[in-house]
Amino acid sequence: MANGFEAAMRMMRSRDPQRAEDGFGLLRDRAAEYLPALIEEFENEQADRGLRSWLLELIGLAESAEALPVLAAQLNSQDEMLRDWAVAGLTRLDTREARTALWRARANGTIA
C-alpha cells in the first residue's frame, strides 16, 4: 500500500505533465484509503503550489470527516486556488460541520 502511494507521489512530482497526471489519477480513486498520508504530504509541501492544490483536491475527494480540519483551515488561505478546493471538498463532504465551516467563511467574507 505505502509503496503504491509513494510511487504515485513520485509521479505527481514529475516534470512530465502526463506522468504527473497519471500519478494523480492513481490516487484519485483511493483518496480515502490514503487520506492520512495525503494530509501529511499536504502539510509538509510548501514549495509547489500546484502539488498542494492537487493534494487538497484529493483530500476533499476522500469525503471523510478526518479531512474536515484541513479543509476548513484552507478556507482562510491566502491562495485562492486552495480556498476553492477547500470549498469543493467541504461541499462534497456535506456534513453539518462542513456546512457550518462554509457558512462561517461566507459570513466572514473569506469566501463568496
Side-chain angles (χ1 to χ4, degrees), residues 38-83:
L38 289 166
I39 290 171
E40 183 177 345
E41 288 288 336
F42 177 78
E43 290 173 349
N44 291 332
E45 180 59 52
Q46 299 301 318
D48 188 333
R49 179 177 180 250
L51 182 57
R52 278 181 60 83
S53 295
W54 261 356
L55 289 167
L56 194 60
E57 180 180 359
L58 289 167
I59 290 167
L61 288 172
E63 295 185 26
S64 169
E66 289 180 57
L68 182 76
V70 176
L71 295 168
Q74 293 309 307
L75 292 174
N76 297 313
S77 175
Q78 298 287 345
D79 188 326
E80 183 179 357
M81 193 164 34
L82 292 179
R83 282 194 315 270

Side-chain angles (χ1 to χ4, degrees), residues 8-20 54:
M9 286 303 303
R10 279 193 301 278
M11 291 172 71
M12 285 178 63
R13 287 187 171 93
S14 174
R15 291 182 179 258
D16 177 346
Q18 185 58 58
R19 185 167 167 78
W54 261 356

